[in-house]
Amino acid sequence: MDETDFSLSEYEARLARIRVAMAAQGLVALIVSDPSNMAWATGYDGWSFYVHQGVVIGPSGPPLWWGRGMDAAGARRTVWMGEEAIHGYDDSYVQNPDKHPMEVLAALIRDQGWAGGRVGVEMDNYYYSAKAHAVLADHLDLADATGLVNWQRLVKSPAEIARMRRAAGIVEAMHKRILEVAEPGLPKNRLVAEILHAGATGAGGHWGDYPAIVPMAPSGMDATAPHLTWDDRPMQRGEAHFFEIAGVYRRYHCPQSRTLFFGEPPATYRRAETAVQEATEAALARARPGNTCEDMAIAFYDTLGRHGFRKDSRTGYSIGLSYPPDWGERTLSLRRGDLTPLQPGMTLHFMPALWLDDGGIEITEPILITETGVEKLSTLPGALFIRS
Amino acid sequence: MDETDFSLSEYEARLARIRVAMAAQGLVALIVSDPSNMAWATGYDGWSFYVHQGVVIGPSGPPLWWGRGMDAAGARRTVWMGEEAIHGYDDSYVQNPDKHPMEVLAALIRDQGWAGGRVGVEMDNYYYSAKAHAVLADHLDLADATGLVNWQRLVKSPAEIARMRRAAGIVEAMHKRILEVAEPGLPKNRLVAEILHAGATGAGGHWGDYPAIVPMAPSGMDATAPHLTWDDRPMQRGEAHFFEIAGVYRRYHCPQSRTLFFGEPPATYRRAETAVQEATEAALARARPGNTCEDMAIAFYDTLGRHGFRKDSRTGYSIGLSYPPDWGERTLSLRRGDLTPLQPGMTLHFMPALWLDDGGIEITEPILITETGVEKLSTLPGALFIRS
């Protein structure tokens, strides 16, 4: 068994944590729609979340996998449960306005004898649509359990941390590839081709999985916007190029961003670099068990402010297992008001991006909270990248 | 202006089509959450659909873009409307259980004077969550308008078809790259790295955009399941390897699948190949304006059945503009009971995949319905790929 494999007892421990949270909310069963939560509970791994599917956790026994009939084959290849836990629905329910697959799910839950109690649903997690909820509500007594599973995922097991370390090695290799090939005049899509190639190739003998977000790679004025992707415009001197990318090992993500200039950056960017570096160090100095997310955030924003910069958005979030469209876990945020205590085994993306009038600067760090403080998962230098 | 650019009058024509459909449903306004629909109506292009956002179409005037404050910068860079149409919300609403961004959207619609009438929402499109609906329903009189915009997208404009042709050139180049580099012993992720590289590089002088689905690339028993992705297992002789991939040009997708063997395939696969080829030709012979989706499906399933094969799922769907998680348009399906009439300018993925006991076979065709019949968008041979 590889150090990144999950044992049956690890899955059982996860299930036990989920059931404690279910009991606290008085739920007899929980319908999990978020593919990251589905995978964490069962191991299910397939790009099938564009149709209705889910995992159902009842009061005892293994979870049930439920989805499109053709995807039951993928469930058999990936989940830890046996054949009796796998339930496929007929293809005529797929994207058909005349019938809805949630009718089938409601019947399955009734057949298990769980329809008399409260059933949790992830009302604000991905891929659980308003229509799915309306159909289920005709048959079951539903309660909102958004984030119930996500919050159980905060503290990583040793096998999960081992996956994160391999992912960190991959994102480092991706940034190194950028530094090797980026040059003025190179069309951006040619650079992205190299980034994608490096990501799937992997690093340190470990293969690369697909990221939950494609490379964000804007330049110049496009870099004033955080979430643009790429086109074929040639890279140019005199503007900022930022790269927000993640290395991924077996669905575990290590995102890390860097900003590149050809030649010496404008003075504003050097000042922003210093501000971000010092504010990052101030925040990481507070990153230890016993402190809260807000403690890190206040240290960051206060230091940034002393340098004359301002950031209106949160400066980090929890990371780990993910599927598109987001590599964050959607639990804690590094911002004022988030009093979540830091615990050993948490993995975060510390994300002090600044968007300026004429571009952006991103120098970010994937980190692990340890027993005594914090560890940077990546060894990349925390500075602007400069190529002549 | 490039032949693939959309003119202002094209956007205005799209808006007019949407408003005709809105009037038929008695809607004073429509909230569009599906990123593909948002892009079709406004040009908005950013990977920001992991937070709540939308486009609002009222009874007159340009659509409103509404989303996270930091993404307003991306809207300014990509939409055809002016600054007054762009509305960002405060970052404290992002993934915060204490407040919901749909409160802000409800207020925006109230401020426009549209809160007195029925407002359409895409209850079963992507990224419109059950919670979003519950929050909006406290403020507005909502009606289900799932698919309203999707159905307007069926018939492509000349500029859209030009994008599809460039995407077809890209998917051909991706398959050619597979044939160049695939060999027994090659770890699958190394092959995927080459596919991703070819996809972003593009073809014919046209850059490649990211696909709404990553490469599906299973081998052997994993290929009995349609939606598994990849790992690092070496490719082997004696098993089927299938590749379901798409070339993408400026968000327009041309998916196409092929199946590869090293050496002569087992007799079953040769028989399946013949069955799929003949059933495909039978279906394409029915592909012309005036016939329905069902006509194509019946010709396909009947011919397949005469060869002793059976397929339980639909054999195609509409394609075009897409964002993750699906490159289908989620409107017509090639299956019995779908009486949608075929029209010139429709683009479909004819998808006669068979999943057998020991693997899968996929030989698929992106097609364009013409005035008189059908045109294959790709020139790849419609046969098993064999390498010695």
Side-chain angles (χ1 to χ4, degrees):
Chain A
M1 193 162 142
D2 183 85
E3 62 168 336
T4 66
D5 288 339
F6 301 141
S7 65
L8 188 55
S9 66
E10 176 155 354
Y11 279 114
E12 284 167 349
R14 294 177 184 182
L15 199 52
R17 277 150 75 175
I18 293 171
R19 285 196 169 118
V20 168
M22 286 170 60
Q25 293 193 29
L27 304 177
V28 66
L30 174 68
I31 299 171
V32 177
S33 310
D34 187 312
S36 307
N37 291 338
M38 289 174 62
W40 191 72
T42 69
Y44 179 65
D45 183 24
W47 189 296
S48 56
F49 36 86
Y50 65 94
V51 294
H52 290 290
Q53 59 177 16
V55 159
V56 186
I57 297 168
S60 62
L64 307 180
W65 181 94
W66 169 82
R68 185 181 186 179
M70 67 167 66
D71 291 318
R76 284 181 197 107
R77 308 282 305 160
T78 56
V79 305
W80 60 266
M81 305 87 73
E83 177 65 29
E84 66 289 351
I86 296 172
H87 300 265
Y89 62 80
D90 189 85
D91 209 69
S92 65
Y93 284 93
V94 174
Q95 299 174 1
N96 187 342
D98 297 331
K99 50 207 279 199
H100 201 282
M102 286 296 160
E103 301 280 356
V104 184
L105 180 58
L108 173 65
I109 288 173
R110 205 166 45 230
D111 291 348
Q112 304 295 316
W114 302 332
R118 293 177 73 197
V119 176
V121 289
E122 300 179 308
M123 287 190 68
D124 219 6
N125 278 15
Y126 296 119
Y127 306 118
Y128 184 67
S129 73
K131 178 73 174 179
H133 187 69
V135 174
L136 279 181
D138 281 343
H139 303 278
L140 301 170
D141 176 20
L142 301 176
D144 189 4
T146 302
L148 185 152
V149 177
N150 305 61
W151 282 98
Q152 311 316 314
R153 292 161 44 195
L154 267 183
V155 173
K156 276 34 178 200
S157 71
E160 290 181 295
I161 292 169
R163 291 193 187 196
M164 295 295 286
R165 291 191 190 284
R166 292 184 186 178
I170 294 172
V171 78
E172 286 182 38
M174 294 164 75
H175 279 293
K176 285 174 187 157
R177 186 71 187 144
I178 291 172
L179 281 173
E180 281 171 10
V181 297
E183 59 182 14
L186 181 70
K188 183 67 63 63
N189 67 300
R190 303 300 293 253
L191 179 60
V192 169
E194 298 295 330
I195 296 171
L196 295 171
H197 190 279
T201 299
H206 307 302
W207 64 282
D209 207 342
Y210 62 88
I213 306 180
V214 295
M216 312 282 194
S219 297
M221 280 304 290
D222 278 347
T224 61
H227 297 127
L228 300 185
T229 48
W230 67 83
D231 57 22
D232 63 347
R233 272 173 283 182
M235 302 184 76
Q236 293 182 29
R237 293 187 185 279
E239 57 185 23
H241 311 276
F242 80 69
F243 303 94
E244 184 170 350
I245 56 179
V248 190
Y249 182 75
R250 298 176 80 183
R251 307 302 328 130
Y252 279 72
H253 287 61
C254 205
Q256 185 163 39
S257 306
R258 286 293 181 267
T259 304
L260 172 70
F261 279 91
F262 299 116
E264 181 56 25
T268 322
Y269 283 83
R270 282 298 190 197
R271 287 196 297 113
E273 176 189 31
T274 302
V276 166
Q277 286 170 332
E278 294 191 9
T280 297
E281 291 314 312
L284 296 192
R286 303 288 179 88
R288 59 172 180 271
N291 283 352
T292 66
C293 291
E294 180 181 78
D295 291 330
M296 286 181 67
I298 289 174
F300 171 80
Y301 291 110
D302 284 358
T303 309
L304 196 70
R306 279 198 294 276
H307 285 267
F309 289 91
R310 198 185 132 97
K311 177 174 166 63
D312 294 324
S313 52
R314 64 182 180 166
T315 193
Y317 47 81
S318 188
I319 50 173
L321 172 62
S322 271
Y323 284 84
D326 189 12
W327 59 44
E329 289 191 316
R330 301 180 300 288
T331 47
L332 62 80
S333 290
L334 298 179
R335 62 181 158 206
R336 285 194 168 79
D338 192 323
L339 300 180
T340 310
L342 298 171
Q343 297 176 66
M346 286 180 170
T347 47
L348 312 180
H349 186 202
F350 188 78
M351 215 299 175
L354 300 186
W355 291 285
L356 310 177
D357 289 343
D358 63 345
I361 176 169
E362 296 197 359
I363 303 171
T364 79
E365 295 299 339
I367 58 173
L368 168 69
I369 305 297
T370 65
E371 295 290 337
T372 54
V374 68
E375 179 189 327
K376 291 182 184 173
L377 287 168
S378 156
T379 61
L380 280 184
L384 289 175
F385 281 0
I386 312 294
R387 278 203 41 165
S388 55
Chain B
M1 192 163 141
D2 184 84
E3 62 168 337
T4 65
D5 288 340
F6 300 141
S7 65
L8 187 55
S9 66
E10 176 157 351
Y11 280 114
E12 284 168 350
R14 295 177 183 181
L15 200 51
R17 278 150 73 175
I18 293 171
R19 284 195 171 119
V20 168
M22 286 170 60
Q25 293 193 30
L27 304 177
V28 66
L30 174 67
I31 298 172
V32 176
S33 309
D34 187 311
S36 306
N37 292 338
M38 289 174 63
W40 191 73
T42 68
Y44 180 64
D45 182 23
W47 189 296
S48 55
F49 36 87
Y50 64 94
V51 295
H52 290 290
Q53 60 177 16
V55 159
V56 186
I57 297 168
S60 63
L64 307 180
W65 182 94
W66 168 82
R68 185 180 186 181
M70 66 166 67
D71 291 318
R76 285 182 197 107
R77 308 284 303 161
T78 57
V79 305
W80 61 267
M81 305 88 72
E83 177 65 28
E84 66 288 352
I86 296 172
H87 299 266
Y89 61 79
D90 189 85
D91 209 70
S92 65
Y93 284 92
V94 173
Q95 300 174 1
N96 186 343
D98 297 331
K99 50 208 277 199
H100 201 282
M102 287 295 158
E103 301 280 354
V104 184
L105 179 59
L108 173 64
I109 289 173
R110 204 166 44 230
D111 292 347
Q112 304 296 315
W114 303 332
R118 291 177 74 197
V119 177
V121 289
E122 299 180 308
M123 287 190 68
D124 218 6
N125 278 14
Y126 296 118
Y127 306 118
Y128 185 67
S129 73
K131 178 71 175 181
H133 187 69
V135 173
L136 280 181
D138 281 345
H139 303 278
L140 301 170
D141 177 20
L142 301 175
D144 189 4
T146 300
L148 185 153
V149 177
N150 305 63
W151 282 97
Q152 311 315 315
R153 291 163 42 195
L154 267 183
V155 173
K156 280 23 179 208
S157 71
E160 290 181 295
I161 292 170
R163 291 193 187 195
M164 294 295 286
R165 291 191 191 285
R166 293 185 185 178
I170 294 171
V171 78
E172 287 183 37
M174 293 163 77
H175 278 294
K176 285 173 187 159
R177 186 71 187 144
I178 292 172
L179 281 173
E180 281 171 9
V181 297
E183 60 180 14
L186 181 71
K188 183 68 63 63
N189 67 301
R190 301 302 291 254
L191 180 59
V192 169
E194 298 295 329
I195 296 171
L196 295 171
H197 190 279
T201 299
H206 307 301
W207 64 281
D209 206 343
Y210 63 88
I213 306 181
V214 295
M216 312 280 193
S219 298
M221 280 305 290
D222 278 346
T224 61
H227 298 126
L228 301 185
T229 48
W230 67 83
D231 57 23
D232 63 347
R233 273 173 282 182
M235 301 184 76
Q236 291 183 27
R237 293 186 185 280
E239 58 185 21
H241 311 276
F242 80 71
F243 302 94
E244 184 170 349
I245 57 180
V248 189
Y249 182 73
R250 296 176 79 183
R251 307 302 326 129
Y252 279 71
H253 286 63
C254 204
Q256 185 164 38
S257 306
R258 285 293 180 266
T259 305
L260 172 71
F261 279 91
F262 299 116
E264 182 54 26
T268 322
Y269 283 84
R270 282 297 190 196
R271 288 195 299 111
E273 176 189 32
T274 303
V276 166
Q277 286 170 332
E278 296 192 5
T280 298
E281 291 314 311
L284 296 191
R286 304 288 179 89
R288 58 172 179 271
N291 282 351
T292 66
C293 291
E294 181 182 77
D295 291 330
M296 287 181 67
I298 288 174
F300 172 78
Y301 291 111
D302 284 359
T303 309
L304 195 71
R306 280 199 293 279
H307 284 270
F309 288 91
R310 198 187 131 95
K311 177 173 166 65
D312 294 325
S313 51
R314 63 179 180 169
T315 192
Y317 46 82
S318 188
I319 50 173
L321 172 62
S322 272
Y323 284 85
D326 189 11
W327 58 45
E329 288 191 318
R330 300 179 301 289
T331 47
L332 61 79
S333 290
L334 297 179
R335 62 181 157 206
R336 284 194 169 81
D338 192 322
L339 301 180
T340 310
L342 298 171
Q343 296 175 68
M346 285 180 169
T347 47
L348 311 180
H349 187 203
F350 188 78
M351 217 297 175
L354 300 184
W355 291 283
L356 309 177
D357 289 343
D358 63 345
I361 175 169
E362 295 196 0
I363 303 172
T364 78
E365 295 298 340
I367 58 173
L368 167 70
I369 305 298
T370 65
E371 296 291 335
T372 55
V374 68
E375 178 190 329
K376 290 182 184 173
L377 288 169
S378 157
T379 61
L380 279 184
L384 289 175
F385 281 180
I386 312 294
R387 277 201 45 164
S388 55

